[in-house]
Amino acid sequence: MKKFLSIALVLAMALTLLAGCGGAPAPASSTPAASAPAEGGDTPAPAQAIKVAALSSGYETTYPGMWQEVCDAFTAETGIEVQLTLEKNLEDVIGPSMQGGDYPDVVLCATGRGPGLTEQFIKDKLIADISDVLDMTIPGESATVSSKVMPTFLGTNATAPYGDGKTYLFPMFYSPCGLFYNANLFTEKGWKVPATWDEMWTLAETAKAEGISLFTYPTTGYFDAFLYALMYSVGGPEFFNNATSYAEGVWDTPEAQQCFEIIAQLAANTNPVTPAQANDNDFSQNQQLILDDKALFMPNGTWIVGEMAEAPRADGFEWGMTALPAAKEGGQGASYSFLEQIWIPAGAANADAAKQFVAFMYSDKAVDTFLKGGAVQPVNGVTAKLEGDNKMFYSIYDQGATPVVGIFSAYNSVAGLGTVREVFLDPVNSLVSGQLSKDQWVSDIKAASDQMRANLVVG
C-alpha cells in the first residue's frame, strides 16, 4: 500500500474528478484586519491573512452573508484577515489554484458530495492532523473547543478517518436526515405516517390509487444518509460497523438482503420522472414533487426548508419529517445525522492561523450567526436556541428515533474502482428506470467491496 503520493499526482486525480464541470474561480472577498487582536484566545503571531473556501448552500439562501459575518467577527477578535471564497460549485472553483500548489488554509466541504474532493484528500493523506484544536481556547472566549463540541460527533470515521485516534476533520453543521413530506396532505387524507416498512408498502398502494407516487429523491447522493440509517435500523451497530468497513460476507447476511429489498421496492414506487431530474441542475424539480403532492416522501436534510422557501406549493402545505421506519413491528426508526466537515489541507501555508479559525467556529458569535441561516452546529445547548421548523426537525431524536453517525471507511484509489457513491448509490437511478436489476446491483457491490476492503486507508 502506498504511504505517500506526490502532490502533483494527487492533484491530477482530484482534477480528474472535477473534469467536465466548468466554472472559474470567482474573486475572493476579504475582510479588513482589526487594528489589534482582542484579548483572550490563543492568537498566533504575527497576524496574517488566511484563505477560507466554503461551500455555499441553502443556509446562505436563508441568511445571505452569514459566512462573511462570521469571518468579520473572527478578524475583529484576532486581527487575522480572511479571504473568503464561497461557491456552490466549490470544487470547481478551488481546483485550478490547487493544481498550482495554492491551497486554501481552511476548507468547508463535506464528504459524500459528487466530485469526491474531500474523500480524495482523505485517501491520499493530504489533510492535516488538527487534534490539538480540541484543546485550544476559542478566540474571544475562555472556553475550549472540546468543552463546546458534542462528543457524539467526534471519534467516528467522519472526523477520524484513519482509526488512529487523531482528528483530521471537525464537525461543522449537522442535520437530522429523514423522510420529508407534506404534513397537511396526511391530515386531509386521514393517512398515518408509517412506523414500519410494511405500513409503508400499504400506504404506497393507497397513494397510487389517487395518482400519487410513494417516493422521490433529489439526487442519488441523498441515499447516503438514507442507506446509513437503513443499515443501522435493520441490523444495529454491529451490522452497521461491518457494512461500513466492507467486512467479508457482510452483503450476504439477512440484514443486508433486507436493506437491498427495501431500496428495490422503493425504486418500484418512485415517481418515474425522478431519474431524469436527479442531477445537480434539476434536483429541485424532484423536491418540487413533494410540494406539489406528486410524491409522498423524499430523503433530505433540514436545509430543504430554506432551499425551497420561494417555491410554489400545494394549498396548506406544511413540512413534516419522520425517521426511517422500523425494520419490524415494535422496532425503532433511525435518523442519520448528516455532517459537514471543516478541515485544513496539509499543504496550507498558514496552518496555525487556520487552526484559530476552526476554533472560532465554535464561538457563541459564530454559532448564533450560523443559526440565522438555519445552520446548526453540534455544540452543547444549541437545540434550546432553535425555533420554528428546526425545533421540530431536531427533536426527532427526542421522539425515539435512533441517531446514526459515521460513514463508509476510506480506501486507496484503485484503477477501475469507483467511489462509494458510484458503487452503492448512483445505480438507484437505473433501478428506478428498470435498466438494472437488484441482483446485478448487489453483485456489483460485492465485487467492489472486496477491492475496498483490500485497500483500506489506515493510519
mmCIF file of all heavy atoms in Angstrom, residues 258-279:
data_model
loop_
_atom_site.group_PDB
_atom_site.id
_atom_site.type_symbol
_atom_site.label_atom_id
_atom_site.label_comp_id
_atom_site.label_asym_id
_atom_site.label_seq_id
_atom_site.Cartn_x
_atom_site.Cartn_y
_atom_site.Cartn_z
ATOM 1 N N GLN A 258 -32.242 -7.584 3.433
ATOM 2 C CA GLN A 258 -33.429 -6.789 3.748
ATOM 3 C C GLN A 258 -33.241 -5.342 3.288
ATOM 4 O O GLN A 258 -34.166 -4.731 2.750
ATOM 5 C CB GLN A 258 -33.733 -6.835 5.249
ATOM 6 C CG GLN A 258 -35.036 -6.128 5.613
ATOM 7 C CD GLN A 258 -35.393 -6.256 7.085
ATOM 8 O OE1 GLN A 258 -34.662 -6.853 7.870
ATOM 9 N NE2 GLN A 258 -36.519 -5.684 7.470
ATOM 10 N N CYS A 259 -32.051 -4.803 3.497
ATOM 11 C CA CYS A 259 -31.768 -3.435 3.040
ATOM 12 C C CYS A 259 -31.905 -3.313 1.530
ATOM 13 O O CYS A 259 -32.534 -2.375 1.019
ATOM 14 C CB CYS A 259 -30.359 -3.021 3.468
ATOM 15 S SG CYS A 259 -30.126 -2.761 5.240
ATOM 16 N N PHE A 260 -31.333 -4.268 0.814
ATOM 17 C CA PHE A 260 -31.412 -4.233 -0.644
ATOM 18 C C PHE A 260 -32.859 -4.345 -1.121
ATOM 19 O O PHE A 260 -33.266 -3.667 -2.071
ATOM 20 C CB PHE A 260 -30.574 -5.366 -1.248
ATOM 21 C CG PHE A 260 -29.092 -5.214 -1.033
ATOM 22 C CD1 PHE A 260 -28.314 -6.313 -0.687
ATOM 23 C CD2 PHE A 260 -28.472 -3.980 -1.178
ATOM 24 C CE1 PHE A 260 -26.951 -6.185 -0.501
ATOM 25 C CE2 PHE A 260 -27.100 -3.849 -0.996
ATOM 26 C CZ PHE A 260 -26.338 -4.953 -0.646
ATOM 27 N N GLU A 261 -33.619 -5.195 -0.476
ATOM 28 C CA GLU A 261 -35.007 -5.397 -0.873
ATOM 29 C C GLU A 261 -35.837 -4.140 -0.639
ATOM 30 O O GLU A 261 -36.683 -3.768 -1.461
ATOM 31 C CB GLU A 261 -35.605 -6.571 -0.094
ATOM 32 C CG GLU A 261 -37.049 -6.900 -0.470
ATOM 33 C CD GLU A 261 -37.212 -7.192 -1.951
ATOM 34 O OE1 GLU A 261 -36.353 -7.889 -2.532
ATOM 35 O OE2 GLU A 261 -38.218 -6.728 -2.532
ATOM 36 N N ILE A 262 -35.596 -3.448 0.472
ATOM 37 C CA ILE A 262 -36.334 -2.218 0.772
ATOM 38 C C ILE A 262 -36.048 -1.158 -0.286
ATOM 39 O O ILE A 262 -36.968 -0.501 -0.797
ATOM 40 C CB ILE A 262 -35.985 -1.707 2.185
ATOM 41 C CG1 ILE A 262 -36.633 -2.610 3.249
ATOM 42 C CG2 ILE A 262 -36.432 -0.257 2.368
ATOM 43 C CD1 ILE A 262 -36.177 -2.319 4.666
ATOM 44 N N ILE A 263 -34.780 -0.983 -0.649
ATOM 45 C CA ILE A 263 -34.431 0.026 -1.645
ATOM 46 C C ILE A 263 -35.008 -0.346 -3.010
ATOM 47 O O ILE A 263 -35.506 0.520 -3.742
ATOM 48 C CB ILE A 263 -32.906 0.208 -1.719
ATOM 49 C CG1 ILE A 263 -32.390 0.827 -0.408
ATOM 50 C CG2 ILE A 263 -32.520 1.090 -2.908
ATOM 51 C CD1 ILE A 263 -30.890 0.993 -0.349
ATOM 52 N N ALA A 264 -34.977 -1.623 -3.353
ATOM 53 C CA ALA A 264 -35.542 -2.059 -4.631
ATOM 54 C C ALA A 264 -37.050 -1.811 -4.664
ATOM 55 O O ALA A 264 -37.603 -1.400 -5.699
ATOM 56 C CB ALA A 264 -35.244 -3.536 -4.856
ATOM 57 N N GLN A 265 -37.726 -2.036 -3.543
ATOM 58 C CA GLN A 265 -39.168 -1.817 -3.504
ATOM 59 C C GLN A 265 -39.499 -0.323 -3.556
ATOM 60 O O GLN A 265 -40.486 0.091 -4.155
ATOM 61 C CB GLN A 265 -39.768 -2.460 -2.247
ATOM 62 C CG GLN A 265 -41.261 -2.710 -2.354
ATOM 63 C CD GLN A 265 -41.740 -3.795 -1.393
ATOM 64 O OE1 GLN A 265 -40.942 -4.523 -0.811
ATOM 65 N NE2 GLN A 265 -43.046 -3.892 -1.215
ATOM 66 N N LEU A 266 -38.659 0.483 -2.923
ATOM 67 C CA LEU A 266 -38.835 1.929 -3.037
ATOM 68 C C LEU A 266 -38.648 2.379 -4.484
ATOM 69 O O LEU A 266 -39.390 3.235 -4.987
ATOM 70 C CB LEU A 266 -37.836 2.661 -2.142
ATOM 71 C CG LEU A 266 -38.212 2.892 -0.680
ATOM 72 C CD1 LEU A 266 -37.071 3.585 0.049
ATOM 73 C CD2 LEU A 266 -39.494 3.719 -0.569
ATOM 74 N N ALA A 267 -37.645 1.807 -5.148
ATOM 75 C CA ALA A 267 -37.399 2.156 -6.545
ATOM 76 C C ALA A 267 -38.624 1.868 -7.403
ATOM 77 O O ALA A 267 -38.962 2.640 -8.310
ATOM 78 C CB ALA A 267 -36.191 1.392 -7.075
ATOM 79 N N ALA A 268 -39.310 0.777 -7.101
ATOM 80 C CA ALA A 268 -40.502 0.403 -7.860
ATOM 81 C C ALA A 268 -41.667 1.339 -7.578
ATOM 82 O O ALA A 268 -42.635 1.374 -8.343
ATOM 83 C CB ALA A 268 -40.895 -1.035 -7.536
ATOM 84 N N ASN A 269 -41.572 2.102 -6.492
ATOM 85 C CA ASN A 269 -42.648 3.020 -6.109
ATOM 86 C C ASN A 269 -42.203 4.477 -6.167
ATOM 87 O O ASN A 269 -42.789 5.345 -5.522
ATOM 88 C CB ASN A 269 -43.141 2.690 -4.701
ATOM 89 C CG ASN A 269 -43.979 1.427 -4.643
ATOM 90 O OD1 ASN A 269 -45.157 1.437 -4.985
ATOM 91 N ND2 ASN A 269 -43.355 0.329 -4.229
ATOM 92 N N THR A 270 -41.158 4.742 -6.949
ATOM 93 C CA THR A 270 -40.632 6.095 -7.104
ATOM 94 C C THR A 270 -41.278 6.773 -8.307
ATOM 95 O O THR A 270 -41.505 6.142 -9.346
ATOM 96 C CB THR A 270 -39.100 6.050 -7.288
ATOM 97 O OG1 THR A 270 -38.503 5.578 -6.075
ATOM 98 C CG2 THR A 270 -38.534 7.422 -7.609
ATOM 99 N N ASN A 271 -41.571 8.064 -8.176
ATOM 100 C CA ASN A 271 -42.126 8.810 -9.294
ATOM 101 C C ASN A 271 -41.211 8.638 -10.512
ATOM 102 O O ASN A 271 -40.011 8.900 -10.418
ATOM 103 C CB ASN A 271 -42.248 10.298 -8.930
ATOM 104 C CG ASN A 271 -43.035 11.090 -9.950
ATOM 105 O OD1 ASN A 271 -42.658 11.186 -11.106
ATOM 106 N ND2 ASN A 271 -44.156 11.663 -9.514
ATOM 107 N N PRO A 272 -41.734 8.217 -11.638
ATOM 108 C CA PRO A 272 -40.892 7.842 -12.782
ATOM 109 C C PRO A 272 -40.073 8.983 -13.380
ATOM 110 O O PRO A 272 -39.099 8.735 -14.090
ATOM 111 C CB PRO A 272 -41.890 7.288 -13.800
ATOM 112 C CG PRO A 272 -43.222 7.822 -13.377
ATOM 113 C CD PRO A 272 -43.168 7.948 -11.901
ATOM 114 N N VAL A 273 -40.422 10.245 -13.117
ATOM 115 C CA VAL A 273 -39.630 11.344 -13.684
ATOM 116 C C VAL A 273 -38.364 11.598 -12.877
ATOM 117 O O VAL A 273 -37.493 12.361 -13.307
ATOM 118 C CB VAL A 273 -40.457 12.650 -13.761
ATOM 119 C CG1 VAL A 273 -41.735 12.433 -14.541
ATOM 120 C CG2 VAL A 273 -40.751 13.219 -12.383
ATOM 121 N N THR A 274 -38.232 10.964 -11.726
ATOM 122 C CA THR A 274 -37.136 11.262 -10.804
ATOM 123 C C THR A 274 -35.746 11.091 -11.417
ATOM 124 O O THR A 274 -34.908 11.999 -11.314
ATOM 125 C CB THR A 274 -37.271 10.419 -9.527
ATOM 126 O OG1 THR A 274 -38.506 10.757 -8.865
ATOM 127 C CG2 THR A 274 -36.115 10.663 -8.581
ATOM 128 N N PRO A 275 -35.406 9.945 -12.032
ATOM 129 C CA PRO A 275 -34.028 9.771 -12.527
ATOM 130 C C PRO A 275 -33.581 10.855 -13.499
ATOM 131 O O PRO A 275 -32.430 11.307 -13.448
ATOM 132 C CB PRO A 275 -34.063 8.396 -13.204
ATOM 133 C CG PRO A 275 -35.165 7.668 -12.512
ATOM 134 C CD PRO A 275 -36.199 8.721 -12.254
ATOM 135 N N ALA A 276 -34.457 11.298 -14.381
ATOM 136 C CA ALA A 276 -34.082 12.304 -15.376
ATOM 137 C C ALA A 276 -33.750 13.640 -14.733
ATOM 138 O O ALA A 276 -32.994 14.440 -15.298
ATOM 139 C CB ALA A 276 -35.206 12.471 -16.395
ATOM 140 N N GLN A 277 -34.288 13.898 -13.557
ATOM 141 C CA GLN A 277 -34.076 15.167 -12.864
ATOM 142 C C GLN A 277 -33.080 15.047 -11.718
ATOM 143 O O GLN A 277 -32.778 16.038 -11.042
ATOM 144 C CB GLN A 277 -35.420 15.695 -12.332
ATOM 145 C CG GLN A 277 -36.438 15.921 -13.424
ATOM 146 C CD GLN A 277 -37.822 16.302 -12.945
ATOM 147 O OE1 GLN A 277 -38.656 16.789 -13.706
ATOM 148 N NE2 GLN A 277 -38.114 16.066 -11.670
ATOM 149 N N ALA A 278 -32.562 13.862 -11.503
ATOM 150 C CA ALA A 278 -31.680 13.615 -10.354
ATOM 151 C C ALA A 278 -30.247 14.012 -10.676
ATOM 152 O O ALA A 278 -29.342 13.180 -10.734
ATOM 153 C CB ALA A 278 -31.758 12.149 -9.937
ATOM 154 N N ASN A 279 -30.042 15.305 -10.903
ATOM 155 C CA ASN A 279 -28.711 15.827 -11.196
ATOM 156 C C ASN A 279 -28.560 17.187 -10.534
ATOM 157 O O ASN A 279 -29.531 17.753 -10.007
ATOM 158 C CB ASN A 279 -28.480 15.918 -12.707
ATOM 159 C CG ASN A 279 -29.533 16.758 -13.407
ATOM 160 O OD1 ASN A 279 -29.568 17.972 -13.241
ATOM 161 N ND2 ASN A 279 -30.394 16.112 -14.188
#
